[in-house]
Structures are given as C-alpha cells and as structure tokens.
Amino acid sequence: AKPHPVQPQYQPVASVLEVVATLRRHLPDDTYRFEAGRDFAGRNIYRASLIRLESLERVHADSLRAGNLDDVIAYAKARALERLRAYDLAAESHRAAAERDGPLRDEARKAASLDDGLAEAIQIGYEPDRPLRSGVPPVPAPSDPNAAIADYDRRRALLDALGDEANGTFLEPVVMEEVERCDVARALLRGAAQARSRRQRARAGRA
C-alpha cells in the first residue's frame, strides 16, 4: 500500500526531517579516505543538504517559526558546514543548537569548541585557497621560507591537539584532512625553498 500523503501543515517539518535523515546517514563517512557522498543529482551531499535546509528555512519561515526544530536544523547545518571547511560558521550553528536543553546540547557544545580550534588553525600559515573568516585579510605569500615552515609547524601542533579531542567523533576525519593539507603545504614549501637554494649555489659556483 502507498504511504498516506503528508498533510500540508506538516509538510515543512517532514521536508526538514527528510534532509536531516539523509545528512545523518553520511555523518559517519570517512571523508579523509573516501570522497564525500553525492546526492541523486551528483552534488556533494553536505553542500546539497546545507542548501536545502537554508531554502526550507526561507520558504517555510512562518511554519517553522514555533522553533520546535531550531536545534535540529542548527545542528544539521553545523555538521554540513564542517565538511565544507566553514568551521567558524559551524561553531556558531552548534552554539545555536546548544541553546535548547535537548539531546543535542552536549554534543553541540563539544563540536563548537573543536570547530573554534579548527577555524583558528587553518588561519595559521599561507594557504591561498582556504576559506577566510569575515573581516580577516588573507595571509600574503611567504617571503621567508623558514618563518613560513615554522607557521606550518604551529598549525600542525594545534591540529594534533585537536585530533586527540576529536578522536571517535564525526570530526575525526575532518581533522585528519586538515593535518594532511598542512603537511602537503609544508612539504611543497620546503621543496621549493631547497630548489631555490640549489639554484643560488649553482649560480654562485659559475660566478
């Protein structure tokens, strides 16, 4: 038998819960080792879920005004934002979810703290493609390789500490991704600095 159609007054709630259920299936995904999940249209599942939730909030603002799903929506948006490296926004959403005294409060508080740390970590050192915090200017390309490598070392130390806290949580693979991103950037910079040094020595030898 076909399921009974959802009555119009409950459609916004049903739509939100559908998006949340889809997102929740992908929260345990190890995006460090495997590509992020895709929706039926081939879009990144985290980005697609975030867009759908924000759209539902706009379209059904009146129906959702009672606030019964505020913590659920905020928590789901935070989890999607984390996978998109928008850690500062994720922390804000987690704190909004923790305002309600419910089953998500403790987990949201812990996640907000981790997201704050990740937001701080990814601002350390040079990374041209990183998401920027509002009002924070981009870090210029390094002119001193040794200072730049020291920045990456500070970033890595902070990420290592966050990794211990994130162990066993949905943020564990996210921290691992950031560690790898930091290590690759450091290795590329070090390699470029060594190549530059070799060229300088070669020119000096021909002089």
Side-chain angles (χ1 to χ4, degrees), residues 104-200:
L104 297 174
R105 169 174 278 186
D106 290 343
E107 186 177 347
R109 281 176 171 170
K110 180 177 180 179
S113 176
L114 287 168
D115 284 330
D116 283 335
L118 284 166
E120 178 185 352
I122 68 169
Q123 297 302 318
I124 299 173
Y126 177 67
E127 184 189 335
D129 298 326
R130 80 166 140 235
L132 294 175
R133 283 174 160 174
S134 177
V136 177
V139 176
S143 57
D144 181 351
N146 291 327
I149 288 172
D151 283 340
Y152 285 127
D153 289 341
R154 286 197 300 118
R155 182 172 176 173
R156 176 60 191 267
L158 178 53
L159 289 171
D160 285 343
L162 292 170
D164 292 338
E165 294 182 49
N167 188 38
T169 73
F170 293 137
L171 279 168
E172 182 176 358
V174 175
V175 175
M176 293 171 68
E177 290 176 46
E178 293 297 346
V179 167
E180 181 176 88
R181 193 173 281 114
C182 176
D183 287 348
V184 169
R186 185 187 188 282
L188 289 173
L189 179 63
R190 188 175 183 83
Q194 290 173 341
R196 188 182 305 113
S197 177
R198 287 194 295 269
R199 290 195 298 270
Q200 290 173 343

Side-chain angles (χ1 to χ4, degrees), residues 23 27 31 44 46-47 50 74-95 107-116 118 122 131 169-175 177-178 181:
L23 176 62
L27 291 185
T31 49
N44 177 295
Y46 306 109
R47 188 178 303 279
L50 178 63
Y75 177 83
K77 288 169 65 175
R79 288 307 187 187
L81 287 162
E82 288 166 348
R83 302 299 178 117
L84 301 174
R85 300 189 76 203
Y87 303 122
D88 52 344
L89 298 178
E92 290 178 12
S93 286
H94 273 307
R95 278 190 279 271
E107 186 177 347
R109 281 176 171 170
K110 180 177 180 179
S113 176
L114 287 168
D115 284 330
D116 283 335
L118 284 166
I122 68 169
T169 73
F170 293 137
L171 279 168
E172 182 176 358
V174 175
V175 175
E177 290 176 46
E178 293 297 346
R181 193 173 281 114

Side-chain angles (χ1 to χ4, degrees), residues 9 29 33 36 40 46 60 64-65 73 93 107 120 163 204:
Q9 66 267 35
D29 289 0
R33 293 181 176 86
F40 62 89
Y46 306 109
H60 299 298
L64 297 172
R65 186 169 293 148
I73 293 173
S93 286
E107 186 177 347
E120 178 185 352

